[in-house]
């Protein structure tokens, strides 16, 4: 099979966190293992995200224009300049960016062989050969996307195509049956904009659960890390991590997680980990509601509306005997093979 060259146009900054980056990084690593070349292109990448890519030995080309507000013509122009330096017949472009739509893609299309889009909003038109949406409601989403993409576009929709790192499928075999509360994982991603970690820690301190271990994972971009670390020391059995590569191992240990409804949702589901869910951004609303509907977690709503008392109430009232049912339902949602399916489709177009 001919080796291909892939450019990945992604954003990952303080506002949107690292979810987009991590799913693109998973795809990039899988493509590289099969002998393909992969390069990243970004305009507003955070320093944390850049370091993550560099630690995986990927280079990042920065779009060097000063305008802060997105302008599709200017952005496409600078993207084309980068692609033209390396342009070959087998150059492909993967896009994971909410600002980009059909207008941008048409301008860039003549300089690449195929365009692959990763999306989860179904709110704008695309000019692409392959579109991936790993979220729930595949039948509904597929109908929506058919109105937004060319007729010859292949659609991969639903949690069957959840993009996870290989270790999640491997560790899935080690998942336990959750029957009672022994270990809690608190992880709200890179930034935790509404300070949910602090709220949960205060709730746990007020309730003082006996013989329960608490693992707290906070991203490097969280400005409240010193306060979070201090609060964690006030709990009897807790451990604080300012970012960790071993999140999958912590998920295996945990009986329940407190977290958002972003891309990490599929990691938790793969490992059968129920979640007390907080919506951290508008694009997480559908996922949170679907997880609750499928009895994979409890949706508390938007973080800006949640108080410490709300977390105290759920900790007091939730019947932990139901963890087994929640855990089994989670594993039904995601089987851990989604990345292989996605890579197979990308390389076949």
């Amino acid at each position: 099979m001919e080796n291909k060259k892939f450019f990945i146009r992604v954003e990952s900054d303080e506002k949107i966190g690292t979810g987009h980056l991590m799913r693109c990084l998973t795809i990039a690593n899988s493509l590289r293992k099969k002998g393909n070349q992969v390069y990243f292109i970004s305009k507003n990448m955070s320093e944390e995200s850049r370091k993550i890519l560099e630690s995986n030995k990927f280079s990042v080309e920065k779009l060097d224009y000063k305008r802060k507000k997105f302008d599709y013509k200017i952005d496409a122009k600078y993207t084309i300049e980068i692609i033209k330096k390396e342009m070959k017949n087998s150059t492909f472009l993967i896009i994971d960016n909410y600002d980009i739509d059909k207008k941008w893609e048409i301008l860039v299309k003549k300089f690449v062989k195929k365009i692959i889009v990763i999306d989860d909003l179904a709110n704008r038109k695309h000019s692409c050969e392959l579109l991936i949406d790993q979220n729930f409601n595949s039948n509904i989403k597929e109908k929506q996307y058919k109105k937004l993409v060319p007729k010859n576009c292949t659609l991969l929709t639903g949690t069957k195509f959840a993009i996870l790192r290989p270790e999640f499928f491997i560790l899935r075999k080690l998942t336990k049956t959750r029957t009672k509360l022994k270990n809690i994982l608190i992880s709200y991603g890179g930034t935790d904009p509404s300070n949910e970690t602090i709220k949960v820690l205060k709730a746990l301190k007020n309730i003082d659960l006996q013989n329960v271990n608490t693992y707290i994972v906070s991203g490097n971009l969280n400005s409240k890390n010193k306060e979070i670390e201090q609060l964690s020391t006030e709990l009897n059995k807790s451990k604080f991590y300012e970012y960790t590569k071993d999140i999958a191992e912590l998920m295996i240990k945990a009986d329940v997680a407190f977290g958002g409804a972003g891309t990490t949702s599929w990691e938790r589901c793969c490992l059968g980990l129920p979640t007390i869910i907080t919506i951290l951004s508008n694009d997480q609303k559908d996922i949170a509601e679907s997880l609750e509907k499928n009895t994979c977690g409890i949706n508390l709503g938007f973080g800006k509306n949640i108080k410490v008392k709300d977390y105290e109430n759920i900790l007091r009232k939730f019947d932990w005997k139901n963890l087994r049912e929640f855990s089994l339902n989670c594993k039904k949602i995601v089987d851990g093979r989604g990345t292989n399916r996605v890579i197979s489709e990308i390389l076949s177009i």
Side-chain angles (χ1 to χ4, degrees):
M1 184 182 289
E2 178 190 16
N3 291 340
K4 300 173 181 178
K5 185 168 290 187
F6 289 86
F7 286 94
I8 300 181
R9 175 69 175 90
V10 64
E11 290 303 344
S12 184
D13 56 20
E14 286 81 355
K15 184 178 178 182
I16 64 172
T18 59
H20 293 245
L21 179 83
M22 297 311 292
R23 63 189 181 189
C24 287
L25 179 58
T26 299
I27 287 175
N29 276 319
S30 297
L31 288 170
R32 186 165 61 183
K33 282 180 181 177
K34 293 183 178 293
N36 302 284
Q37 295 175 280
V38 186
Y39 305 89
F40 283 80
I41 302 173
S42 183
K43 173 71 173 71
N44 299 310
M45 184 166 287
S46 68
E47 189 59 29
E48 180 192 21
S49 297
R50 187 175 297 277
K51 287 178 181 177
I52 291 171
L53 288 180
E54 288 174 354
S55 69
N56 282 268
K57 299 182 180 178
F58 286 106
S59 62
V60 186
E61 293 277 0
K62 184 177 180 181
L63 297 177
D64 193 19
Y65 63 88
K66 300 194 183 297
R67 182 172 295 199
K68 290 185 178 181
K69 189 174 180 181
F70 184 82
D71 183 305
Y72 80 92
K73 289 181 180 178
I74 294 175
D75 195 278
K77 174 179 177 289
Y78 280 85
T79 301
I80 290 166
E81 287 180 4
I82 292 171
I83 291 173
K84 283 172 72 175
K85 292 177 189 176
E86 301 284 345
M87 191 169 70
K88 292 183 179 180
N89 289 335
S90 295
T91 299
F92 292 72
L93 177 63
I94 298 173
I95 301 166
D96 192 348
N97 188 315
Y98 290 150
D99 287 324
I100 290 175
D101 61 11
K102 182 178 179 179
K103 298 191 295 293
W104 186 100
E105 291 153 4
I106 286 173
L107 294 176
V108 180
K109 204 171 185 64
K110 65 181 77 172
F111 299 95
V112 296
K113 191 170 183 180
K114 304 285 183 182
I115 289 179
I116 299 113
V117 171
I118 303 172
D119 195 9
D120 41 39
L121 299 180
N123 66 349
R124 61 205 188 280
K125 290 186 176 181
H126 290 289
S127 179
C128 59
E129 281 70 38
L130 178 67
L131 186 142
I132 306 153
D133 184 335
Q134 63 184 355
N135 293 336
F136 278 107
N137 302 321
S138 56
N139 292 335
I140 296 171
K141 281 289 186 72
E142 194 157 324
K143 288 179 182 177
Q144 292 173 334
Y145 281 121
K146 280 183 178 178
K147 299 176 183 177
L148 301 173
V149 298
K151 287 183 179 180
N152 64 343
C153 177
T154 300
L155 294 173
L156 309 181
T157 61
T159 55
K160 178 182 177 182
F161 299 102
I163 301 165
L164 304 183
R165 300 191 301 278
E167 62 260 35
F168 285 94
F169 177 68
I170 295 167
L171 289 172
R172 178 181 170 87
K173 299 170 186 175
L174 304 177
T175 53
K176 60 187 178 180
T177 301
R178 277 99 174 168
T179 55
K180 58 182 178 179
L181 184 63
K182 295 179 182 176
N183 302 291
I184 292 173
L185 172 64
I186 304 170
S187 179
Y188 288 92
T191 57
D192 190 3
S194 51
N195 298 318
E196 302 310 308
T197 305
I198 290 174
K199 295 177 193 175
V200 176
L201 287 173
K202 287 181 177 178
L204 286 168
K205 183 184 175 183
N206 292 342
I207 289 179
D208 191 22
L209 292 172
Q210 297 296 314
N211 301 316
V212 173
N213 299 303
T214 306
Y215 306 104
I216 305 106
V217 180
S218 186
N220 296 332
L221 295 175
N222 194 330
S223 61
K224 304 284 187 179
N225 275 342
K226 286 186 178 178
E227 183 179 353
I228 290 169
E229 187 171 13
Q230 176 56 42
L231 281 168
S232 70
T233 64
E234 297 172 15
L235 296 178
N236 288 330
K237 297 181 177 181
S238 69
K239 190 165 184 180
F240 171 76
Y241 302 83
E242 187 171 345
Y243 179 73
T244 177
K245 293 180 180 179
D246 301 324
I247 190 71
E249 283 82 355
L250 293 178
M251 288 181 182
I252 287 286
K253 288 181 182 179
D255 298 295
V256 70
F258 285 78
T263 55
T264 308
S265 299
W266 314 131
E267 297 172 355
R268 295 188 300 250
C269 282
C270 181
L271 300 181
L273 179 59
T275 306
I276 308 301
I277 308 156
T278 302
I279 302 171
L280 304 177
S281 57
N282 290 331
D283 58 293
Q284 294 186 5
K285 183 174 180 290
D286 287 346
I287 298 174
E289 291 173 351
S290 295
L291 285 169
E292 183 172 62
K293 184 179 178 181
N294 285 273
T295 321
C296 296
I298 304 293
N299 176 22
L300 298 183
F302 282 89
K304 62 184 179 181
N305 301 324
I306 299 173
K307 304 195 180 334
V308 174
K309 280 284 183 187
D310 297 316
Y311 286 116
E312 288 180 22
N313 289 337
I314 196 69
L315 285 163
R316 285 195 181 100
K317 293 179 180 179
F318 185 75
D319 187 350
W320 301 109
K321 293 177 183 176
N322 292 329
L323 281 175
R324 185 177 186 279
E325 179 191 359
F326 276 67
S327 182
L328 291 172
N329 287 332
C330 285
K331 292 187 77 172
K332 292 176 186 176
I333 298 295
V334 178
D335 67 5
R337 297 177 183 271
T339 302
N340 290 340
R341 296 183 183 108
V342 167
I343 295 300
S344 178
E345 291 287 347
I346 288 175
L347 292 177
S348 70
I349 64 170

